[in-house]
Amino acid sequence: MEHLELFFKSIFIDNMVFAVFLGMCSYLAVSKKVATAVGLGAAVIFVLAITVPLNWLLDQYILQPGALSWLGADYIDYDLSFLSFIMFIATIATMVQLVEIVVEKFSPSLYNSLGIFLPLIAVNCAILGGSLFMQSREIETLGLALNYGISSGIGWFLAILAIAAIREKIRYSNVPAPLRGLGITFIITGLMGIGFLSFGGMLTGGDEEAPKKETTAEVIKAEDKKELANNTKVIE
Amino acid sequence: MGLLSKKDAKLITDPLADNNPITIQVLGICSALAITAELKASLVMSIAVLFVMGVGNVVISLMRNVIPSKIRIIVQLIVVAALVIIVDQVLKAYAYELSKTLSVFVGLIITNCIIMGRFEAFALGNGPWRSFLDGIGNALGYAVILLIVGFFRELLGAGTLFGIPVLGDPIEKTGVYSIGYENNGFMLMPPMALIVVGLIIWVQRSRNKALIED
């Protein structure tokens, strides 16, 4: 259940593009054609699925306050969390380099179709953001970290797929000249973001059925209160 | 600009409008959008990026002849990461509340594509002084957009600027609220940042037809 909740939450509610704006640069630059968007999206899922669990291990056994206790009692007071940026980015850069070598060796056609975008994944904020959110949201187990990496990658994949499809079609529309290209992409992304906001109630209000028409005013009021309590809980 | 030659001055003024990193080069957008709900956060983020870009560009430019080109991305990432750690620690020490608001986005300066983009495109091929100016110029161009977006979002969304109410008191209905104005809380939601930037691009490209994409 915990896994399922995290899975849907990272795809829809905390979608990397629409809720926290991660990986926007490549999202805008590579979304002109569906085919390249799919390639980059798949690579992002793959790299996130590797780096988030790896960084979770690093965080758990090296970086967290007191994480070095496995070295002996002397090390219990150490807090290396200020090093997390540099450790995370080093892991990511290494993994991207490794993925590049492996892909080049075993699937040259995929390697050629991804081209320059593969090394660029190292500087995609979605990848580093995944690890930093994993750290700040205090994800508890390695399994959940893997789940978080994959599902937030899927969320990013869906977003870039959708915008690429829209951009392919919008070429035939009569967009005002100054807004063509970048401007309209921004605005469409904003509108899609508003759409994704509606997923917000998916986990909090999901177990309550919508009030039926015949229910009396008191019941609605009670339900409103319950919802309010739920919402405040979420905010806390 | 008596201090700078015309060519050097161009390095600073160009990125402010006609070659703006955000609206024209499409770089560094992630953090630009995420923290602009408050003007104060936008300002602090701009200063942080100004520091990282200015210093980073100089460091990379000084090292440009000794970095093997195969591993240059990793070297660049390490330099930026070290600078960002400094910024993060300073923020945590002197502005703890603000560093909580910025949360992971301080860390994300590392992957801010403006920084990597300028390293690649400029600092690897130019001397320290010109690289410094280029870094400052691009960071200022980034700051301009951040401040404009932050200004509109905070003003229309919360009726405040830097946390100070400027449109009157929404509860006692003074100022603009007395004639029926309501705060548009939607401006504080994430998607509005995208739409505001979209509108800025629209305005900018309407004024300068040369920038229009086909």
Side-chain angles (χ1 to χ4, degrees):
Chain A
M1 196 57 215
E2 206 181 355
H3 276 275
L4 205 64
E5 191 178 317
L6 183 70
F7 187 73
F8 282 108
K9 200 166 172 241
S10 343
I11 293 183
F12 293 110
I13 302 173
D14 292 331
N15 186 292
M16 285 217 149
V17 173
F18 301 124
V20 280
F21 311 113
L22 292 180
M24 289 299 290
C25 310
S26 29
Y27 167 87
L28 291 166
V30 189
S31 60
K32 281 182 188 126
K33 268 165 63 190
V34 171
T36 44
V38 169
L40 184 71
V44 165
I45 296 180
F46 185 64
V47 175
L48 267 173
I50 299 177
T51 56
V52 173
L54 262 182
N55 283 335
W56 184 86
L57 288 174
L58 270 181
D59 187 47
Q60 208 71 9
Y61 294 107
I62 297 182
L63 298 171
Q64 269 182 9
L68 285 173
S69 55
W70 55 273
L71 277 176
D74 294 347
Y75 296 90
I76 265 176
D77 293 335
Y78 281 46
D79 176 5
L80 296 181
S81 52
F82 70 96
L83 283 178
S84 30
F85 295 155
I86 216 160
M87 296 280 265
F88 286 178
I89 201 72
T91 316
I92 290 166
T94 321
M95 286 324 294
V96 169
Q97 201 101 60
L98 211 67
V99 168
E100 202 183 340
I101 294 167
V102 171
V103 172
E104 191 180 9
K105 175 97 177 139
F106 291 104
S107 171
S109 60
L110 179 65
Y111 180 78
N112 286 332
S113 70
L114 282 177
I116 179 79
F117 302 125
L118 208 51
L120 275 187
I121 290 179
V123 284
N124 186 327
C125 11
I127 309 285
L128 181 62
S131 290
L132 290 177
F133 273 121
M134 174 274 297
Q135 192 188 33
S136 72
R137 286 178 191 164
E138 288 165 2
I139 285 180
E140 275 156 20
T141 65
L142 185 61
L144 282 174
L146 177 68
N147 181 338
Y148 180 71
I150 293 177
S151 50
S152 43
I154 294 177
W156 199 87
F157 178 88
L158 282 181
I160 195 168
L161 188 66
I163 196 75
I166 293 175
R167 281 181 85 170
E168 274 194 4
K169 292 286 170 208
I170 212 161
R171 221 170 294 153
Y172 308 107
S173 313
N174 188 15
V175 178
L179 208 51
R180 265 178 216 158
L182 192 59
I184 195 73
T185 314
F186 264 105
I187 291 179
I188 292 171
T189 311
L191 294 176
M192 283 162 81
I194 294 174
F196 267 68
L197 279 181
S198 58
F199 286 117
M202 208 164 74
L203 288 178
T204 51
D207 47 352
E208 298 158 5
E209 281 179 26
K212 288 178 191 131
K213 270 186 186 157
E214 52 265 47
T215 45
T216 50
E218 278 86 358
V219 177
I220 294 174
K221 224 182 231 170
E223 268 180 359
D224 274 349
K225 257 183 208 159
K226 205 168 154 197
E227 200 169 78
L228 203 72
N230 271 342
N231 285 342
T232 42
K233 220 187 281 166
V234 169
I235 290 163
E236 279 166 40
Chain B
M1 291 268 179
L3 277 172
L4 304 166
S5 70
K6 223 174 192 174
K7 217 168 130 201
D8 286 350
K10 234 176 127 53
L11 288 175
I12 291 209
T13 51
D14 248 16
L16 289 184
D18 288 348
N19 196 17
N20 189 287
I22 293 183
T23 59
I24 310 296
Q25 302 173 29
V26 207
L27 296 173
I29 294 165
C30 328
S31 57
L33 298 170
I35 45 89
T36 46
E38 287 171 43
L39 199 50
K40 201 169 157 197
S42 314
L43 186 69
V44 171
M45 191 70 178
S46 307
I47 295 170
V49 170
L50 198 69
F51 168 77
V52 174
M53 279 210 70
V55 179
N57 252 1
V58 172
V59 171
I60 292 291
S61 161
L62 287 173
M63 300 199 313
R64 69 184 188 279
N65 295 324
V66 292
I67 304 176
S69 75
K70 280 221 158 182
I71 58 159
R72 65 176 195 285
I73 296 214
I74 294 185
V75 174
Q76 288 163 5
L77 283 174
I78 299 294
V79 169
V80 186
L83 290 169
V84 170
I85 289 177
I86 297 175
V87 170
D88 188 46
Q89 296 293 317
V90 169
L91 273 184
K92 276 197 181 129
Y94 294 104
Y96 189 71
E97 285 303 310
L98 210 62
S99 80
K100 280 275 163 253
T101 332
L102 292 173
S103 68
V104 302
F105 291 98
V106 178
L108 288 175
I109 298 177
I110 298 172
T111 45
N112 190 320
C113 356
I114 299 181
I115 298 181
M116 296 301 287
R118 291 331 288 176
F119 283 179
E120 286 279 305
F122 202 91
L124 282 175
N126 287 283
W129 172 238
R130 298 197 67 211
S131 301
F132 177 72
L133 292 179
D134 181 74
I136 297 289
N138 278 284
L140 286 176
Y142 171 85
V144 167
I145 300 293
L146 239 67
L147 293 177
I148 295 175
V149 178
F151 175 82
F152 282 113
R153 281 183 77 191
E154 192 177 340
L155 183 69
L156 300 178
T160 58
L161 287 177
F162 288 109
I164 303 160
V166 287
L167 295 183
D169 193 326
I171 299 159
E172 289 169 21
K173 303 277 174 207
T174 59
V176 198
Y177 298 101
S178 60
I179 52 168
Y181 178 79
E182 295 278 346
N183 280 335
N184 180 6
F186 205 59
M187 289 298 283
L188 299 176
M189 305 293 269
M192 286 313 289
L194 287 157
I195 293 179
V196 173
V197 175
L199 295 178
I200 293 177
I201 292 175
W202 193 357
V203 171
Q204 192 187 13
R205 294 188 183 185
S206 310
R207 293 182 52 193
N208 188 347
K209 300 282 185 217
L211 299 174
I212 293 175
E213 293 174 48
D214 57 339

